[in-house]
Amino acid sequence: MPRFSYFAALLAAASTVHAQTSTTCQPLNKTCPPDVALGTTHTWNFSSNSILDSTWNITNGAVDYTDNAMKFSIKKKMDSPTIQSNFYIFFGRMEYHVQAAPGQGVISSVVLESDDLDEIDWEWIGSENTQVQSNYFGKGETIAGTGLTHNLTGATTTDAYHNYTTWWDKDKLEWWYDGNLLRTLTYDNATNSSGTWYPQTPMTIRIGIWPGGDPSQPEGRIIWAGGKIDYDAGPYSMYISQISAQDFTTGKEYSYSDHSGNWQSINVTAGNSTISDKLNTKHETLAQKWANLAPGAKIAIYACVGGVLGIGLIVLLFCCVKQRRIGKREWNIQNNRFMQERTDMMNMQAEWRQKGYVEMK
């Protein structure tokens, strides 16, 4: 299968779209700033109540949220929403709970990418909902045979969430689907006469969706994407409910000691990662705290709030009835007093008239 990396496929069609296969500093050519390490294990659960935290960045377009997932949608021509981690992993285990986007010409992707363009991919073609593709690249170069298509018997990738897991260490790379091993690549099997192709340098996580079947794309790419995309039949949406990341290396930063691009050249700065500190501090918003509560705790809170509201309503009704009774009693007292005073006045006036009449007589 030819290589169609995540956003590189869009460069010919839209100059405003940044390539996924890109780097802000190429350590094979020059000295670059160190990479911030994850340095820990963490799980992100996404919903409308638990949005992306500062350990992630939206690098293109915009994402939406449902009750239980983050949503990446193609709503119009050349839409390609993408997120990228602000941390790096130097070997690790990544677990993605994905419902791929359906649709001819629609590509859903989960990518690990390093500064020197080592790459590990999961890709879903929207018109092939019983398949997933695995791929890898070394130093941004393309060689035949790195990509494989896996048939998932009895599974539908676009109608339900599935667990896609990547295991990556210095000796082997594995792609797992719902607990089943699909593929293993060893360090030795990823070499050729010109050097080592095995991905082996610190990587960020990049996730998104893009229209590989846009009519402006090369014909081969459109064929690979399943055909031309019909934007009028959209929107097309990919969902991510959970991401778990385990960094096999603990440290503060990762840096390249030379321009070789092999894993032995990576220096690990000891200390606590700022990302790890940030995640462990857990300065969560109320919405994030609520989203992270267990279902039983939420039910208990709902019950307590309902009980308090019920008691409050009863107290309010009691006060209203009591106040009404007091008001009625006070009105009766005032009315009786008014009637008595009115009677007394009438009697007095009658007496005065009687007196005046007698005296005149």
Side-chain angles (χ1 to χ4, degrees):
M1 184 191 75
R3 181 185 182 187
F4 303 105
S5 61
Y6 187 69
F7 268 112
L10 300 178
L11 287 179
S15 60
T16 57
V17 177
H18 299 289
Q20 164 123 349
T21 307
S22 63
T23 180
T24 57
C25 184
Q26 175 52 273
L28 300 183
N29 300 329
K30 59 182 178 180
T31 301
C32 298
D35 298 327
V36 177
L38 175 63
T40 188
T41 300
H42 191 75
T43 297
W44 292 264
N45 292 298
F46 300 110
S47 71
S48 56
N49 292 320
S50 183
I51 61 177
L52 281 174
D53 58 32
S54 60
T55 61
W56 296 87
N57 185 34
I58 298 175
T59 55
N60 194 70
V63 296
D64 300 313
Y65 298 90
T66 68
D67 289 341
N68 62 358
M70 182 165 39
K71 181 179 179 182
F72 301 75
S73 297
I74 298 175
K75 300 178 182 179
K76 62 183 184 302
K77 184 176 176 62
M78 300 310 292
D79 271 351
S80 51
T82 308
I83 65 171
Q84 178 177 325
S85 67
N86 291 326
F87 56 81
Y88 288 72
I89 294 168
F90 185 30
F91 301 124
R93 180 182 183 275
M94 280 60 64
E95 182 178 314
Y96 318 97
H97 292 239
V98 179
Q99 180 175 317
Q104 178 176 294
V106 177
I107 307 298
S108 303
S109 295
V110 174
V111 174
L112 292 174
E113 185 91 29
S114 70
D115 291 342
D116 65 1
L117 304 182
D118 283 346
E119 186 174 329
I120 303 169
D121 298 349
W122 287 100
E123 291 178 299
W124 299 263
I125 297 175
S127 58
E128 303 292 341
N129 64 4
T130 59
Q131 296 179 347
V132 64
Q133 296 185 4
S134 62
N135 212 341
Y136 73 94
F137 305 96
K139 308 302 178 281
E141 297 189 44
T142 301
I143 55 174
T146 60
L148 293 180
T149 297
H150 308 277
N151 292 314
L152 308 174
T153 305
T156 304
T157 60
T158 59
D159 294 329
Y161 289 96
H162 295 281
N163 182 340
Y164 301 89
T165 297
T166 304
W167 176 281
W168 171 53
D169 61 34
K170 65 182 181 61
D171 299 314
K172 66 179 180 179
L173 174 57
E174 296 176 337
W175 289 261
W176 292 75
Y177 167 81
D178 284 345
N180 299 303
L181 180 61
L182 297 180
R183 179 182 184 182
T184 299
L185 173 75
T186 64
Y187 185 95
D188 293 336
N189 289 337
T191 61
N192 63 9
S193 59
S194 61
T196 298
W197 293 94
Y198 188 79
Q200 56 192 286
T201 48
M203 295 191 179
T204 59
I205 303 172
R206 309 182 187 192
I207 299 173
I209 182 174
W210 59 282
D214 186 86
S216 64
Q217 297 298 308
E219 183 179 358
R221 187 170 299 138
I222 294 173
I223 293 172
W224 169 75
K228 291 183 179 180
I229 186 172
D230 181 2
Y231 289 106
D232 293 335
Y236 304 101
S237 298
M238 167 194 183
Y239 301 88
I240 304 287
S241 63
Q242 179 180 302
I243 300 172
S244 295
Q246 179 182 2
D247 193 350
F248 287 168
T249 308
T250 56
K252 182 179 181 180
E253 295 173 335
Y254 305 131
S255 57
Y256 293 73
S257 63
D258 58 35
H259 304 306
S260 67
N262 60 49
W263 67 267
Q264 295 94 334
S265 70
I266 303 300
N267 288 331
V268 179
T269 303
N272 293 328
S273 165
T274 55
I275 296 291
S276 177
D277 289 343
K278 187 177 298 184
L279 292 171
N280 291 330
T281 302
K282 291 189 178 297
H283 288 309
E284 298 174 319
T285 64
L286 289 176
Q288 289 171 330
K289 289 179 180 179
W290 174 258
N292 290 330
L293 286 176
K298 290 181 179 180
I299 293 173
I301 292 174
Y302 280 131
C304 290
V305 171
V308 170
L309 291 176
I311 293 172
L313 182 59
I314 292 172
V315 171
L316 180 61
L317 290 173
F318 174 78
C319 292
C320 289
V321 171
K322 183 177 179 181
Q323 190 64 36
R324 185 174 180 182
R325 288 177 177 175
I326 292 174
K328 185 175 182 181
R329 185 164 58 248
E330 290 180 348
W331 183 86
N332 288 334
I333 292 173
Q334 293 294 332
N335 187 58
N336 291 338
R337 182 179 299 166
F338 170 75
M339 294 299 293
Q340 183 62 47
E341 290 177 350
R342 186 167 177 269
T343 300
D344 291 344
M345 180 63 70
M346 292 177 64
N347 291 337
M348 185 179 297
Q349 289 175 347
E351 185 178 347
W352 286 345
R353 284 197 299 272
Q354 183 67 26
K355 262 179 145 180
Y357 173 75
V358 171
E359 290 175 354
M360 286 177 62
K361 211 169 172 186

